[in-house]
Amino acid sequence: MADLPSGLLEACVVVGAPSDKLRETYQLHQQSKLNELPLLEAEVLQVHAPPFVSKETHSSQPIGPAFSRVQRRKSFIKKKKRDRAAEVLPNGETTNRTEASSATEDISVPKDLDLIALPHLCFPGGLQLANEQKEDSYHFLVFTDLFGNRTHGVVVQYYRAVQSCQESAVQNGHRWSSSKSRLYSPFAVCIISKFPYYNALRDCLSCLLVQLRPARQADFEETIKEFSAKLSLVPLPPPGQLHVSFSLRPLQLVLPSREDQDSPVIDIDLHLPLLCFSHTTLLQVLSCILQEQRLVLFSADWARLTLVAESLLLYLQPLSWQQPYVPVLSSGMLDFLMAPTAFLMGCHISHFEEVAAETEELILVNIDDGIIQSSWAETIDLPAIPLAAAESFTSRAECLQLHYDLELCHLGAGTDVNALRSQRRDWQTRLNTQIQNISLELVVNIFRGVQDFLNHEHRVFNSEEFLRTREPSDQTFYKKVLETHIFHSFLRDRLNRKRDTFSRMEQNTHNLAHRNRAMTELSRRPPMSNLSRPGYRSYASPEDRLSRKLGASLPNLMQPPHDTVSAISSNRPASLRKMTPDTGLKLPQKPVKVFRLPEFPPPLAYHYVQNYYSDMVAALGKAISATPPDEAALLARYHYLRGLVNTVSNKRLDALEDFQSLYKTDSDIFPSQMVKSLVDSMSESERRQADTRPELKRLISRVKRDQERACNGNGPEEGAVKRFQLPKKYMQLEEFVKCIQESGIVKDQGTIHRLFDALTVGHQKQVDPELFRVFYTIWKETEAEAQEVCLPASVLEHIEPSECVFKLSSSVKTSRGVGKIAMTQRRLFLLTDGRPGYVEVAQYRDLEEVKVSSAPFLLLRIPSLKLRVRARKEAFEANLKTETELWNLMVKEMWAGRNMADQHKDPQYMQQALTNALLMDAVVGSLQNSKAIYAASKLAHFDRIKMEVPMMVPKTTAETLKHKINPSLELAAPQPVDVLLYTPGQLWVSVSGGKVMVFDASSWSLTHTCHVGNARLNCMLGVDKDQVWMGSEDSVIYIISMLAMVCNRQLTEHRAEVTGLALDTDKYSQKVAYSCSAEGSIMVWDVSTLQMKKNFRLSCDRLQSVSSCNTTLWCCSRDNIMEVWRNGSVKHRLNLPEQQKGSTTTFSSILLLPEREELWSVCLDSGEVCIWHIKDTSKPFLRVVLQDCTGCHCLIKVKNQVWVGGVGRSSTKGKVYILDTERYQVLKELHGHNDKVTALCSAEDRYVLSGAGKHDGKIAIWKVE
């Protein structure tokens, strides 16, 4: 039997005093022999766990129609005196209507439930009898198994008179009653659930007590069993915007859903810690948790312990506490506090002094008084949370409205209890959301930028480099946190590219934070890791720096050079300004729907339960029918719920159909494990039926394929996180490349190979670990020294806001005064001695000559650096002495890099030149011998190119080319650009392996990266304002939401790789999409419902694209082009032109010009563009020969031009040809890539973007005339 899906109830346990002890105490009490009422030992009296009803099927498999994971159970053997038959009479005698006896009874309980400890946790202060009726009391429990999985319990303690615990006693024909001898015993009912539905389960228990109070003892067990059975019928809501509601008279209860698959359930009042602690104290507590201290919470209220502990851990999401966690310790469990590891525990305030005196190195948190202290002092001597993050949190938290009473001021007295509860719940949900946003911002502000110091290829975190970027006052805090399990788990998620709330908020707030940082750190050199970060623009020339008007859909590439970002309007730090609680932190929330379950049936009768499930399926069916197709997320959740219900009611095929629909509409919440269990439990007849239904057959094969992938995956590697360590042995080239990449110095393999050559000049080709240590130390020290350079305002006004000093010489005499020569990414300037002043030396682009010279000094000649600058008569000369040769190399490399960047409109050349120059500096510093300069010259990459190869870019290309983007910037080697797509304001780039990068089209900076499958993408299509479809080699069409930037929908009907996508409207003006796959299938999709309306198959050799034109489709395959009626029949077939037959030439792309009734085609191994008349397809009426072209890969129409991407014959470099559609002539031939042009797209007919193959991997942006 497969595991059934988890429902609300795991088990319901009743705990109380043993009947024999209770009877004995009662008799002593009646006889007035007790001076005070004793504490009794609690024991488990009842356990109720699903399934509550079952039936044998023909396949001899039990069906458990209740949501539960607890089908595998153990027996809890308990000897239980059957005392229900025994009656206590006033004189203390016992009637033996049925002989009281001991019996052994098997109680089935959930596998992981510890019934030994449970009684102590249900009565953490002990089981105390009472002389009078006491108020009901609730508290909350958390159980953790050996694997760290948590289960949650809600306990109510309520008192019953001991007389009513026995059968009603009758004496002399009258009911006996004596108020003065009355005795009350507490019972505890504990509901255990896999999910922390604390508020909902507390309300469930409140409803139970309404039934229990008037119930007779004989009905006591049955009432609780029936209550448990009802809760076992409640399905848990799927993650997202659908809650589940059910009625337990007299209350209507709601189970809130999780925000997404990785988020926790929140059914708790998150503002409780804000009511208990000041903001300063709260931040201290959170700091202690992050540093994994040994924390103990104290309160006089058992319930408060768990609620506050849970809230504190939720504040730190998505970081998760990895250490022992027991929020409620009973009096007998205080020895747990002696554990040597970090922990978070809670106990009663009465134990405060005892714990503080007897246990060392504890952090003691008094919830009731809102104070925190240590067991060795009244103050906390631990590093505080970084100041900027703490100030921002405090500022936002001060704006929160924490008091519900203020919401009620304008309202009258409500008379409907459920309406009042709903009103309060809505207020609490809004407040919880604000608190989540504020606390998430705190976590993001603390750990922002961690991603920049991770090497995904080698799974390494460069902690030293990360620490260098933190404020000096915060270093101690980070050093402690970086060693914790909680941070290690967080790092592992970053390395696995987990798309959680942290990564989303960091991405959303990145641009603002980066801009603020640029305003406050003008003079400091950023680490080289920052330079390679997407969107970092400090290396761009003023001409290259694009429009920062983020509202614009396209950049203003002709922007004046000195148009910089306007300064922040106020000098006051942003974190200190008054602000609304979570402004700017959250995307608009979609409205939440509530699905109301049918009224509960008699829950212990099998056929009633089955009818209940049928009613639920019918209600979900109505909800699905009433939901419009554009609300795909809501539809997915209804399918999830219906699949769940069909699973537990044993309708496996119906359940699979629902899960197939779910997979298509939102694969993010697809319950893979549940579906796998469902498939494994299918009988032979069910499998045969599933095989006759294509969609189910595909789903089953996909589940099996994913299962095999999971088995073959590199499991242990997923969890490993290494810290960068200096090598301890000699390194050959391969190990050296890995070590340099792990260190974060540079990732480009070509540069690393040149560095290896430099460090091994004159000896065996291996790097000494000691030499590497010296090199690495010098690199880091130089970086740190440059970061400490603080330029005065009089100097800053002369340089660009984004400029940083990367190298500073020693103080030298120059032809323009004495001072230090400063090297930025844009220029050289002299920082004069004495009162620091600015003397411009040269911008790299203005240099005309750089050479080593010598200046006379007495009878000596001192080596000097001589620079000739355009438009200046006098040369600049600096007596750099022993530094001269190094500065000569560095300046020449920067000069060559600047020229390359200007000519190719590619700022990355400047960044590479800067890296090369800084590596030269570190190499010379580490070698310290006569060959040091020769070794450093190995890194003069651009200077060598300048000497060996003419760098001139053709004039036409230079005029048309506006900018270049490098999607492979952070990778070790370039990746081919497979597909380009422009949607308003965004450029979508597909590189190898299903990786999709999204660039902001106003600044061409990277905004998002996502992975869709693991295979290459062949095509992309913007379908509407929120959908981009992507066809993959793995035969799936992935659908990305542009608003949420997630891929949670897939179309899986194709059986071969998807090669083409097109959009059109059908005869009813409905938007439809066409997709084609390599084996010839074409499918027609309803865009609004994502349902396939039609499909047909063409006979051809690899179908490559589909286009829609009037009433027909045009389909391009390798060997022919087909005009096809919409019913699938071929109207015309165009074959390869005669001249090209018999060779390896195949069609690569076609372009329809309907207004001209023309079809343009290009071939993979031909430099011709063939132009056909649509009405006469026997042969092309014109061929346009492209000069020096051996093949074409793509073509697009822009205005009255056709742009063709291909590869040159003489240089095998990528070329773009621009043809005039009127005169059929080549207007321009553009040289922009070092590899074939593989993709083209147009941005609003103002710019064309071209992407190239793996030897280039860049995107060129061309201006359209």
Side-chain angles (χ1 to χ4, degrees):
M1 172 71 186
D3 281 1
L4 292 176
S6 182
L8 181 59
L9 180 107
E10 283 286 300
C12 180
V13 182
V14 180
V15 176
S19 53
D20 51 352
K21 283 284 184 188
L22 201 56
R23 197 161 50 242
E24 182 184 319
T25 306
Y26 179 75
Q27 289 172 355
L28 292 171
H29 181 259
Q30 291 295 307
Q31 297 163 12
S32 302
K33 291 182 179 179
L34 292 176
N35 295 327
E36 60 180 33
L37 295 172
L39 279 174
L40 298 183
E41 188 74 26
E43 70 170 31
V44 173
L45 302 177
Q46 301 172 29
V47 180
H48 303 287
F52 291 92
V53 291
S54 61
K55 179 183 178 182
E56 293 297 311
T57 64
H58 294 301
S59 60
S60 302
Q61 287 182 328
I63 305 165
F67 297 92
S68 168
R69 283 196 200 139
V70 297
Q71 303 306 310
R72 297 185 301 276
R73 295 173 285 136
K74 64 181 180 182
S75 273
F76 178 69
I77 309 299
K78 190 166 85 69
K79 292 187 186 294
K80 194 160 125 183
K81 295 271 176 87
R82 297 189 178 277
D83 56 312
R84 283 209 316 225
E87 294 177 354
V88 179
L89 296 178
N91 59 6
E93 295 174 6
T94 305
T95 63
N96 291 311
R97 189 181 307 160
T98 306
E99 190 65 30
S101 62
S102 288
T104 298
E105 186 177 316
D106 280 6
I107 300 180
S108 296
V109 300
K111 180 167 67 87
D112 299 320
L113 184 57
D114 179 7
L115 289 184
I116 307 300
L118 189 61
H120 301 287
L121 294 171
C122 288
F123 290 100
L127 193 156
Q128 178 71 61
L129 302 179
N131 288 316
E132 58 184 10
Q133 181 73 42
K134 290 193 174 182
E135 279 190 347
D136 305 330
S137 171
Y138 294 81
H139 67 275
F140 309 91
L141 304 174
V142 179
F143 314 98
T144 310
D145 66 15
L146 291 172
F147 304 103
N149 302 311
R150 288 180 191 155
T151 310
H152 307 268
V154 180
V155 181
V156 61
Q157 295 177 10
Y158 79 105
Y159 283 76
R160 289 173 70 95
V162 172
Q163 296 96 312
S164 63
C165 293
Q166 319 300 325
E167 294 293 336
S168 296
V170 178
Q171 187 178 19
N172 299 328
H174 299 285
R175 186 173 295 277
W176 172 82
S177 173
S178 170
S179 59
K180 62 182 176 185
S181 59
R182 201 164 273 227
L183 187 64
Y184 294 88
S185 173
F187 288 82
V189 181
C190 176
I191 301 179
I192 295 167
S193 175
K194 284 284 182 190
F195 292 92
Y197 284 109
Y198 294 120
N199 288 340
L201 293 176
R202 181 194 59 202
D203 294 346
C204 289
L205 285 171
S206 302
C207 296
L208 171 65
L209 292 191
V210 173
Q211 299 174 51
L212 282 182
R213 283 200 180 90
R216 301 179 341 143
Q217 176 62 21
D219 302 327
F220 178 72
E221 184 168 347
E222 194 66 19
T223 303
I224 292 180
K225 185 176 183 182
E226 191 167 299
F227 164 81
S228 306
K230 284 179 179 176
L231 291 191
S232 75
L233 299 178
V234 177
L236 295 178
Q241 63 192 86
L242 183 66
H243 297 350
V244 165
S245 153
F246 59 96
S247 177
L248 269 182
R249 289 185 178 84
L251 299 180
Q252 186 72 26
L253 305 170
V254 174
L255 295 183
S257 59
R258 295 177 283 162
E259 187 177 338
D260 56 52
Q261 193 81 324
D262 297 314
S263 296
V265 166
I266 296 180
D267 188 28
I268 192 175
D269 297 349
L270 282 182
H271 66 293
L272 292 180
L274 290 160
L275 295 175
C276 295
F277 304 111
S278 69
H279 297 136
T280 304
T281 306
L282 178 57
L283 286 166
Q284 280 184 303
V285 176
L286 293 175
S287 176
C288 291
I289 293 174
L290 285 172
Q291 293 172 66
E292 288 188 351
Q293 296 298 309
R294 300 163 73 219
L295 270 87
V296 189
L297 307 180
F298 293 90
S299 176
D301 185 342
W302 294 108
R304 209 175 288 171
L305 289 170
T306 304
L307 296 178
V308 169
E310 287 282 286
S311 297
L312 291 172
L313 296 185
L314 287 170
Y315 283 8
L316 295 177
Q317 283 289 322
L319 280 79
S320 58
W321 180 256
Q322 306 287 312
Q323 303 289 356
Y325 172 52
V326 189
V328 173
L329 285 175
S330 69
S331 305
M333 295 178 171
L334 293 183
D335 58 331
F336 281 28
L337 299 177
M338 306 298 288
T341 60
F343 54 70
L344 176 56
M345 299 190 188
C347 59
H348 199 271
I349 192 71
S350 59
H351 302 298
F352 187 92
E353 297 299 333
E354 177 189 351
V355 170
E358 296 189 14
T359 318
E360 295 181 356
E361 297 183 358
L362 292 184
I363 303 296
L364 312 175
V365 181
N366 184 333
I367 295 172
D368 300 342
D369 294 339
I371 58 174
I372 177 172
Q373 66 183 72
S374 62
S375 57
W376 65 93
E378 289 194 4
T379 56
I380 298 290
D381 186 25
L382 284 170
I385 278 177
L387 182 62
E391 284 181 344
S392 178
F393 175 83
T394 302
S395 174
R396 288 191 185 272
E398 283 170 353
C399 305
L400 289 169
Q401 176 52 266
L402 301 176
H403 300 285
Y404 182 56
D405 288 348
L406 293 174
E407 291 283 311
L408 301 177
C409 293
H410 66 289
L411 300 176
T415 55
D416 181 342
V417 65
N418 282 317
L420 290 172
R421 282 164 47 80
S422 175
Q423 188 177 311
R424 163 71 200 223
R425 191 164 51 241
D426 291 345
W427 174 82
Q428 188 66 56
T429 302
R430 288 194 300 274
L431 179 60
N432 280 358
T433 301
Q434 289 180 333
I435 292 171
Q436 282 178 271
N437 291 341
I438 293 170
S439 57
L440 177 61
E441 186 196 34
L442 173 69
V443 174
V444 169
N445 285 340
I446 293 171
F447 297 110
R448 186 186 297 282
V450 162
Q451 188 75 33
D452 301 327
F453 302 93
L454 290 174
N455 183 295
H456 290 273
E457 291 77 17
H458 305 297
R459 297 188 69 81
V460 169
F461 174 60
N462 198 324
S463 52
E464 283 187 25
E465 184 102 346
F466 172 75
L467 283 170
R468 285 177 195 272
T469 64
R470 306 295 108 172
E471 292 294 329
S473 57
D474 299 331
Q475 295 269 338
T476 319
F477 170 83
Y478 283 108
K479 282 177 182 173
K480 280 185 172 289
V481 171
L482 263 55
E483 299 301 322
T484 60
H485 290 84
I486 196 172
F487 182 73
H488 186 272
S489 172
F490 171 75
L491 267 190
R492 192 168 57 239
D493 287 341
R494 298 317 101 202
L495 278 171
N496 295 339
R497 292 188 168 91
K498 189 172 185 180
R499 182 81 178 150
D500 55 16
T501 51
F502 178 93
S503 55
R504 286 195 290 270
M505 181 177 281
E506 186 183 36
Q507 184 73 61
N508 292 341
T509 58
H510 172 77
N511 292 335
L512 177 64
H514 182 70
R515 191 157 60 242
N516 288 345
R517 187 161 61 248
M519 293 297 172
T520 57
E521 297 184 4
L522 296 180
S523 61
R524 297 179 66 179
R525 163 188 166 178
M528 287 305 292
S529 57
N530 272 9
L531 280 186
S532 63
R533 198 165 61 217
Y536 191 87
R537 307 214 47 80
S538 67
Y539 52 80
S541 67
E543 290 82 354
D544 291 330
R545 207 182 314 108
L546 306 178
S547 166
R548 290 199 168 90
K549 300 166 187 167
L550 295 182
S553 64
L554 276 174
N556 176 8
L557 289 169
M558 306 308 291
Q559 180 179 341
H562 298 288
D563 181 12
T564 56
V565 184
S566 59
I568 294 174
S569 57
S570 167
N571 291 328
R572 191 178 181 202
S575 62
L576 299 181
R577 293 187 209 125
K578 191 75 173 173
M579 59 185 88
T580 50
D582 57 349
T583 303
L585 300 184
K586 198 71 175 174
L587 291 171
Q589 292 287 305
K590 290 187 177 177
V592 167
K593 297 278 186 182
V594 178
F595 176 69
R596 187 165 179 169
L597 303 182
E599 291 293 321
F600 288 118
L604 299 175
Y606 178 80
H607 64 283
Y608 282 127
V609 170
Q610 288 299 97
N611 290 341
Y612 173 75
Y613 287 142
S614 299
D615 292 345
M616 211 189 301
V617 167
L620 285 163
K622 286 180 182 175
I624 289 169
S625 303
T627 304
D630 56 345
E631 292 192 37
L634 184 59
L635 275 172
R637 274 122 193 105
Y638 283 136
H639 281 298
Y640 182 106
L641 267 184
R642 195 168 70 176
L644 223 64
V645 177
N646 279 323
T647 300
V648 295
S649 56
N650 211 37
K651 296 176 180 172
R652 295 187 181 90
L653 294 179
D654 292 346
L656 283 177
E657 277 197 347
D658 277 312
F659 290 132
Q660 168 66 12
S661 301
L662 163 66
Y663 192 83
K664 286 168 61 175
T665 46
D666 193 344
S667 59
D668 273 2
I669 62 168
F670 182 74
S672 307
Q673 201 55 40
M674 190 196 305
V675 176
K676 175 189 169 299
S677 294
L678 191 64
V679 169
D680 291 344
S681 67
M682 288 171 68
S683 64
E684 280 301 318
S685 62
E686 286 171 328
R687 282 186 180 279
R688 283 196 295 272
Q689 288 180 62
D691 286 345
T692 63
R693 289 146 83 166
E695 288 207 343
L696 295 191
K697 191 175 179 181
R698 279 197 292 273
L699 179 67
I700 291 169
S701 64
R702 189 183 314 115
V703 167
K704 287 183 175 177
R705 190 170 65 241
D706 292 346
Q707 187 180 348
E708 287 168 8
R709 248 184 229 151
C711 293
N712 298 333
N714 50 347
E717 187 64 24
E718 284 292 298
V721 183
K722 295 183 287 185
R723 294 285 178 89
F724 172 69
Q725 292 182 330
L726 290 170
K728 295 183 173 59
K729 59 181 184 179
Y730 281 85
M731 291 180 290
Q732 306 286 345
L733 176 60
E734 190 177 335
E735 290 119 346
F736 181 77
V737 169
K738 182 181 176 185
C739 187
I740 288 286
Q741 288 176 340
E742 286 184 3
S743 73
I745 292 174
V746 66
K747 290 185 179 178
D748 175 60
Q749 285 192 354
T751 305
I752 299 173
H753 284 199
R754 289 190 287 275
L755 177 59
F756 182 79
D757 289 342
L759 290 175
T760 56
V761 160
H763 57 84
Q764 197 175 357
K765 290 295 179 182
Q766 55 182 13
V767 175
D768 182 339
E770 178 58 23
L771 173 62
F772 185 88
R773 186 191 64 76
V774 173
F775 167 80
Y776 182 78
T777 305
I778 290 174
W779 172 271
K780 291 301 173 190
E781 283 175 353
T782 309
E783 189 173 85
E785 285 166 11
Q787 282 195 351
E788 295 309 312
V789 174
C790 194
L791 302 179
S794 58
V795 174
L796 287 176
E797 63 188 26
H798 292 281
I799 64 176
E800 295 289 328
S802 58
E803 273 185 90
C804 305
V805 172
F806 285 85
K807 174 71 176 168
L808 205 60
S809 75
S810 52
S811 188
V812 295
K813 181 185 175 185
T814 75
S815 57
R816 303 193 63 185
V818 177
K820 297 178 180 178
I821 298 175
M823 183 179 85
T824 76
Q825 68 267 44
R826 201 181 307 281
R827 76 189 79 218
L828 298 170
F829 67 87
L830 186 67
L831 192 62
T832 55
D833 282 355
R835 184 181 178 186
Y838 173 89
V839 176
E840 174 93 18
V841 174
Q843 292 200 21
Y844 301 123
R845 61 161 54 92
D846 296 331
L847 288 170
E848 288 184 336
E849 184 184 26
V850 178
K851 68 176 183 178
V852 175
S853 182
S854 60
F857 179 72
L858 300 178
L859 299 174
L860 303 173
R861 304 291 292 180
I862 297 173
S864 66
L865 182 69
K866 199 167 189 176
L867 307 178
R868 292 201 175 276
V869 184
R870 190 180 303 124
R872 281 195 200 153
K873 290 181 180 178
E874 293 183 9
F876 173 82
E877 192 165 2
N879 300 350
L880 283 160
K881 303 173 188 171
T882 56
E883 293 181 77
T884 304
E885 293 284 356
L886 172 61
W887 275 86
N888 176 53
L889 283 176
M890 291 196 300
V891 174
K892 280 185 174 178
E893 183 68 3
M894 296 297 281
W895 178 26
R898 179 74 271 167
N899 287 343
M900 291 275 284
D902 287 348
Q903 290 188 28
H904 293 270
K905 309 291 174 63
D906 186 351
Q908 195 205 346
Y909 285 121
M910 197 64 237
Q911 179 197 329
Q912 286 179 327
L914 178 59
T915 302
N916 293 342
L918 294 173
L919 288 172
M920 291 175 192
D921 179 40
V923 165
V924 169
S926 55
L927 290 179
Q928 293 289 340
N929 59 31
S930 58
K931 294 182 179 177
I933 294 298
Y934 172 68
S937 69
K938 299 278 187 184
L939 290 155
H941 179 58
F942 292 122
D943 189 43
R944 187 175 297 110
I945 290 176
K946 180 181 172 184
M947 302 297 288
E948 293 173 358
V949 184
M951 289 196 300
M952 290 305 295
V953 173
K955 184 181 177 184
T956 307
T957 299
E959 290 172 349
T960 313
L961 180 63
K962 289 300 163 194
H963 191 62
K964 275 198 179 179
I965 306 171
N966 185 8
S968 303
L969 191 60
E970 289 200 305
L971 302 176
Q975 301 290 320
V977 177
D978 296 325
V979 194
L980 292 172
L981 172 71
Y982 175 82
T983 60
Q986 291 177 315
L987 171 67
W988 300 72
V989 181
S990 162
V991 293
S992 60
K995 182 179 179 181
V996 177
M997 307 173 83
V998 185
F999 291 83
D1000 184 304
S1002 61
S1003 61
W1004 303 120
S1005 57
L1006 181 67
T1007 58
H1008 293 91
T1009 301
C1010 53
H1011 288 260
V1012 288
N1014 297 307
R1016 176 184 184 273
L1017 295 179
N1018 291 321
C1019 49
M1020 291 196 279
L1021 178 70
V1023 172
D1024 58 24
K1025 290 179 181 177
D1026 187 41
Q1027 285 186 26
V1028 172
W1029 290 23
M1030 302 179 178
S1032 171
E1033 279 188 352
D1034 63 10
S1035 79
V1036 176
I1037 298 172
Y1038 296 94
I1039 301 177
I1040 288 191
S1041 161
M1042 284 191 260
L1043 296 177
M1045 278 301 164
V1046 292
C1047 174
N1048 55 8
R1049 285 179 281 179
Q1050 301 175 12
L1051 305 178
T1052 57
E1053 278 72 3
H1054 280 289
R1055 302 270 58 81
E1057 62 178 286
V1058 180
T1059 52
L1061 294 165
L1063 201 60
D1064 199 9
T1065 52
D1066 63 12
K1067 58 184 177 182
Y1068 305 109
S1069 299
Q1070 295 292 316
K1071 192 180 280 189
V1072 293
Y1074 296 91
S1075 62
C1076 65
S1077 52
E1079 93 292 18
S1081 292
I1082 293 180
M1083 297 186 182
V1084 188
W1085 304 91
D1086 185 321
V1087 169
S1088 59
T1089 63
L1090 301 185
Q1091 296 298 313
M1092 184 174 67
K1093 300 175 69 173
K1094 190 189 300 179
N1095 72 310
F1096 50 86
R1097 185 163 179 170
L1098 302 174
S1099 174
C1100 60
D1101 175 22
R1102 186 180 169 83
L1103 186 54
Q1104 297 181 133
S1105 68
V1106 59
S1107 309
S1108 175
C1109 178
N1110 301 325
T1111 58
T1112 59
L1113 301 174
W1114 287 84
C1115 306
C1116 175
S1117 70
R1118 282 200 290 213
D1119 56 351
N1120 55 47
I1121 301 167
M1122 294 157 282
E1123 185 181 9
V1124 181
W1125 295 109
R1126 296 193 183 217
N1127 63 5
S1129 58
V1130 177
K1131 181 181 177 185
H1132 290 114
R1133 196 180 288 264
L1134 288 68
N1135 295 314
L1136 282 166
E1138 287 296 327
Q1139 294 89 328
Q1140 296 169 351
K1141 284 188 179 176
S1143 67
T1144 57
T1145 300
T1146 57
F1147 285 117
S1148 57
S1149 187
I1150 62 170
L1151 174 68
L1152 280 166
L1153 305 181
E1155 69 281 0
R1156 300 179 60 83
E1157 295 189 340
E1158 290 176 0
L1159 172 74
W1160 293 45
S1161 70
V1162 291
C1163 293
L1164 211 53
D1165 296 311
S1166 166
E1168 282 186 346
V1169 178
C1170 295
I1171 305 169
W1172 316 65
H1173 273 308
I1174 287 178
K1175 292 183 177 175
D1176 177 15
T1177 55
S1178 56
K1179 62 179 181 178
F1181 73 85
L1182 188 67
R1183 290 189 180 86
V1184 179
V1185 178
L1186 306 177
Q1187 281 191 344
D1188 190 37
C1189 178
T1190 59
C1192 303
H1193 294 265
C1194 47
L1195 72 170
I1196 60 168
K1197 178 180 181 293
V1198 186
K1199 293 183 177 176
N1200 61 342
Q1201 301 169 352
V1202 170
W1203 291 54
V1204 181
V1207 61
R1209 175 177 283 106
S1210 57
S1211 63
T1212 67
K1213 291 187 176 181
K1215 288 190 175 184
V1216 176
Y1217 297 87
I1218 305 176
L1219 282 73
D1220 186 330
T1221 56
E1222 301 285 341
R1223 293 173 292 165
Y1224 308 113
Q1225 293 177 351
V1226 177
L1227 300 175
K1228 290 182 182 178
E1229 182 181 319
L1230 307 175
H1231 305 251
H1233 295 284
N1234 291 325
D1235 199 351
K1236 61 190 176 191
V1237 175
T1238 53
L1240 289 169
C1241 79
S1242 163
E1244 298 177 9
D1245 280 359
R1246 289 170 58 193
Y1247 299 99
V1248 167
L1249 298 100
S1250 60
K1254 64 181 180 181
H1255 298 299
D1256 180 275
K1258 294 181 181 178
I1259 298 165
I1261 303 170
W1262 309 90
K1263 184 168 176 59
V1264 176
E1265 297 293 336

